[in-house]
Short mmCIF file of all heavy atoms in Angstrom, two decimals:
data_model
loop_
_atom_site.label_atom_id
_atom_site.label_comp_id
_atom_site.label_asym_id
_atom_site.label_seq_id
_atom_site.Cartn_x
_atom_site.Cartn_y
_atom_site.Cartn_z
N LEU A 10 85.36 113.09 99.97
CA LEU A 10 86.08 114.35 100.29
C LEU A 10 85.35 115.17 101.32
O LEU A 10 84.10 115.45 101.08
CB LEU A 10 86.40 115.06 99.09
CG LEU A 10 87.44 114.45 98.15
CD1 LEU A 10 87.10 114.59 96.77
CD2 LEU A 10 88.81 114.92 98.43
N GLU A 15 86.04 124.28 104.27
CA GLU A 15 86.38 124.63 102.83
C GLU A 15 87.59 123.86 102.39
O GLU A 15 88.48 123.58 103.22
CB GLU A 15 86.73 126.02 103.05
CG GLU A 15 86.26 126.98 101.94
CD GLU A 15 86.98 128.32 102.32
OE1 GLU A 15 86.58 128.96 103.37
OE2 GLU A 15 87.91 128.66 101.50
N HIS A 35 90.68 107.31 81.94
CA HIS A 35 90.02 106.00 81.70
C HIS A 35 88.52 106.22 81.43
O HIS A 35 87.62 105.45 81.81
CB HIS A 35 90.06 105.21 83.05
CG HIS A 35 91.41 104.90 83.46
ND1 HIS A 35 92.07 103.92 82.79
CD2 HIS A 35 92.09 105.29 84.51
CE1 HIS A 35 93.30 103.78 83.46
NE2 HIS A 35 93.31 104.63 84.50
N ASN A 67 81.61 122.49 98.40
CA ASN A 67 82.53 121.61 98.12
C ASN A 67 82.24 120.71 96.83
O ASN A 67 83.18 120.34 96.05
CB ASN A 67 82.97 120.56 99.26
CG ASN A 67 83.62 121.45 100.45
OD1 ASN A 67 83.92 122.57 100.25
ND2 ASN A 67 84.01 120.74 101.43
N GLU A 75 86.75 120.40 86.84
CA GLU A 75 86.46 119.83 85.63
C GLU A 75 86.19 118.32 85.76
O GLU A 75 86.49 117.61 84.83
CB GLU A 75 87.64 120.11 84.56
CG GLU A 75 87.50 121.55 84.12
CD GLU A 75 88.74 121.94 83.14
OE1 GLU A 75 89.25 121.06 82.64
OE2 GLU A 75 88.77 123.10 82.90
N LEU A 97 74.42 99.97 107.33
CA LEU A 97 75.52 98.98 107.17
C LEU A 97 76.63 99.16 108.28
O LEU A 97 77.24 98.21 108.78
CB LEU A 97 76.15 99.04 105.78
CG LEU A 97 77.29 98.09 105.52
CD1 LEU A 97 76.86 96.62 105.67
CD2 LEU A 97 77.83 98.23 104.12
N GLU A 109 91.08 96.82 117.50
CA GLU A 109 91.40 97.10 116.07
C GLU A 109 91.23 98.51 115.83
O GLU A 109 92.00 99.17 115.31
CB GLU A 109 90.51 96.08 115.34
CG GLU A 109 90.35 96.24 113.97
CD GLU A 109 89.52 95.10 113.34
OE1 GLU A 109 88.44 94.80 113.70
OE2 GLU A 109 89.98 94.45 112.35
N ASP A 118 96.16 109.70 116.93
CA ASP A 118 96.76 111.06 116.82
C ASP A 118 95.65 112.02 117.35
O ASP A 118 95.99 112.98 117.99
CB ASP A 118 97.09 111.33 115.42
CG ASP A 118 98.38 110.57 114.93
OD1 ASP A 118 99.03 109.90 115.80
OD2 ASP A 118 98.68 110.54 113.72
N VAL A 130 82.55 109.00 120.30
CA VAL A 130 82.39 107.54 119.86
C VAL A 130 82.39 107.60 118.30
O VAL A 130 82.99 106.63 117.56
CB VAL A 130 81.18 106.98 120.39
CG1 VAL A 130 81.07 105.43 119.83
CG2 VAL A 130 81.29 106.76 121.90
N TYR A 150 88.84 100.27 93.71
CA TYR A 150 89.88 101.30 93.90
C TYR A 150 89.41 102.48 94.74
O TYR A 150 88.36 103.10 94.39
CB TYR A 150 90.41 101.77 92.57
CG TYR A 150 90.98 100.54 91.87
CD1 TYR A 150 90.26 100.07 90.61
CD2 TYR A 150 92.12 99.89 92.15
CE1 TYR A 150 90.74 99.03 89.94
CE2 TYR A 150 92.58 98.84 91.40
CZ TYR A 150 91.90 98.36 90.31
OH TYR A 150 92.40 97.33 89.55
N PRO A 152 91.27 105.83 95.89
CA PRO A 152 92.24 106.71 96.00
C PRO A 152 92.13 107.67 97.15
O PRO A 152 91.20 108.34 97.21
CB PRO A 152 92.26 107.43 94.61
CG PRO A 152 91.20 106.78 93.80
CD PRO A 152 90.34 106.08 94.74
N ARG A 158 95.09 105.58 104.29
CA ARG A 158 95.43 104.24 103.73
C ARG A 158 94.98 103.02 104.71
O ARG A 158 94.48 102.06 104.26
CB ARG A 158 96.95 104.02 103.46
CG ARG A 158 97.43 104.81 102.38
CD ARG A 158 97.83 103.96 101.20
NE ARG A 158 96.72 103.26 100.58
CZ ARG A 158 96.00 103.84 99.53
NH1 ARG A 158 96.51 104.99 99.07
NH2 ARG A 158 95.13 103.33 99.05
N LYS A 174 82.87 84.47 106.79
CA LYS A 174 81.81 84.02 107.68
C LYS A 174 80.49 83.72 106.88
O LYS A 174 79.81 82.69 107.18
CB LYS A 174 81.54 84.96 108.82
CG LYS A 174 80.94 84.53 109.97
CD LYS A 174 80.78 85.53 111.11
CE LYS A 174 79.75 85.21 112.19
NZ LYS A 174 80.15 84.05 112.96
N PHE A 179 80.70 90.71 99.72
CA PHE A 179 81.33 92.06 99.34
C PHE A 179 82.41 91.75 98.32
O PHE A 179 83.10 90.85 98.37
CB PHE A 179 81.91 92.75 100.59
CG PHE A 179 81.09 93.23 101.59
CD1 PHE A 179 81.26 92.86 102.95
CD2 PHE A 179 80.03 94.13 101.27
CE1 PHE A 179 80.34 93.36 104.00
CE2 PHE A 179 79.23 94.66 102.24
CZ PHE A 179 79.34 94.24 103.57
N LEU A 181 85.97 92.65 97.19
CA LEU A 181 87.15 93.09 98.03
C LEU A 181 87.71 94.37 97.46
O LEU A 181 88.18 94.30 96.25
CB LEU A 181 88.16 91.99 98.09
CG LEU A 181 87.89 90.80 99.01
CD1 LEU A 181 89.19 89.98 99.08
CD2 LEU A 181 87.31 91.16 100.31
N LYS A 190 99.58 101.16 92.83
CA LYS A 190 99.87 100.96 91.45
C LYS A 190 98.82 101.51 90.55
O LYS A 190 99.05 102.21 89.55
CB LYS A 190 99.97 99.42 91.08
CG LYS A 190 100.93 99.07 90.18
CD LYS A 190 101.01 97.60 89.79
CE LYS A 190 101.52 96.66 90.87
NZ LYS A 190 101.03 95.25 90.60
N ASP A 216 96.62 127.09 111.00
CA ASP A 216 97.81 127.28 110.30
C ASP A 216 97.59 128.13 108.98
O ASP A 216 97.85 127.64 107.91
CB ASP A 216 98.50 126.00 109.97
CG ASP A 216 99.85 126.06 109.11
OD1 ASP A 216 100.47 127.07 109.23
OD2 ASP A 216 100.11 125.08 108.47
N ASP A 229 96.86 136.78 97.58
CA ASP A 229 97.22 136.25 98.91
C ASP A 229 97.85 134.91 98.91
O ASP A 229 98.73 134.65 99.65
CB ASP A 229 95.96 136.25 99.78
CG ASP A 229 95.39 137.64 100.11
OD1 ASP A 229 96.22 138.64 99.96
OD2 ASP A 229 94.28 137.79 100.57
N ALA A 258 110.95 120.85 98.29
CA ALA A 258 110.31 119.68 97.65
C ALA A 258 108.78 119.80 97.58
O ALA A 258 108.18 119.51 96.54
CB ALA A 258 110.66 118.42 98.48
N ASN A 259 108.14 120.48 98.49
CA ASN A 259 106.77 120.67 98.68
C ASN A 259 106.37 121.73 97.56
O ASN A 259 105.44 121.44 96.85
CB ASN A 259 106.29 121.20 99.96
CG ASN A 259 104.84 121.19 100.28
OD1 ASN A 259 104.19 120.36 99.71
ND2 ASN A 259 104.38 122.28 100.84
N ALA A 288 104.54 131.02 92.95
CA ALA A 288 103.68 131.99 93.42
C ALA A 288 102.69 132.30 92.21
O ALA A 288 101.49 132.50 92.28
CB ALA A 288 104.23 133.15 93.96
N LYS A 301 85.68 129.80 87.36
CA LYS A 301 84.82 128.58 87.05
C LYS A 301 83.82 128.26 88.14
O LYS A 301 82.68 127.89 87.84
CB LYS A 301 85.70 127.41 86.92
CG LYS A 301 86.57 127.33 85.66
CD LYS A 301 87.28 126.05 85.53
CE LYS A 301 88.35 126.05 84.48
NZ LYS A 301 89.55 125.42 84.82
N GLN A 312 70.21 118.93 90.28
CA GLN A 312 69.49 117.99 89.63
C GLN A 312 70.24 116.72 89.45
O GLN A 312 69.84 115.69 89.64
CB GLN A 312 69.01 118.48 88.10
CG GLN A 312 67.69 119.20 88.21
CD GLN A 312 67.46 119.87 86.94
OE1 GLN A 312 68.07 119.80 85.86
NE2 GLN A 312 66.29 120.68 86.93
N GLU A 319 69.46 109.16 93.94
CA GLU A 319 68.46 108.14 93.75
C GLU A 319 69.00 106.80 93.23
O GLU A 319 68.81 105.75 93.74
CB GLU A 319 67.38 108.61 92.85
CG GLU A 319 66.04 107.98 92.98
CD GLU A 319 65.08 108.61 92.09
OE1 GLU A 319 64.90 109.88 92.16
OE2 GLU A 319 64.36 107.87 91.38
#
Side-chain angles (χ1 to χ4, degrees):
L10 289 141
E15 223 186 286
H35 299 288
N67 289 3
E75 287 177 15
L97 180 60
E109 163 175 58
D118 288 351
V130 175
Y150 299 110
R158 290 250 71 92
K174 198 169 164 73
F179 291 125
L181 288 192
K190 216 187 293 161
D216 180 25
D229 292 344
N259 189 38
K301 286 188 190 139
Q312 272 169 8
E319 201 176 313

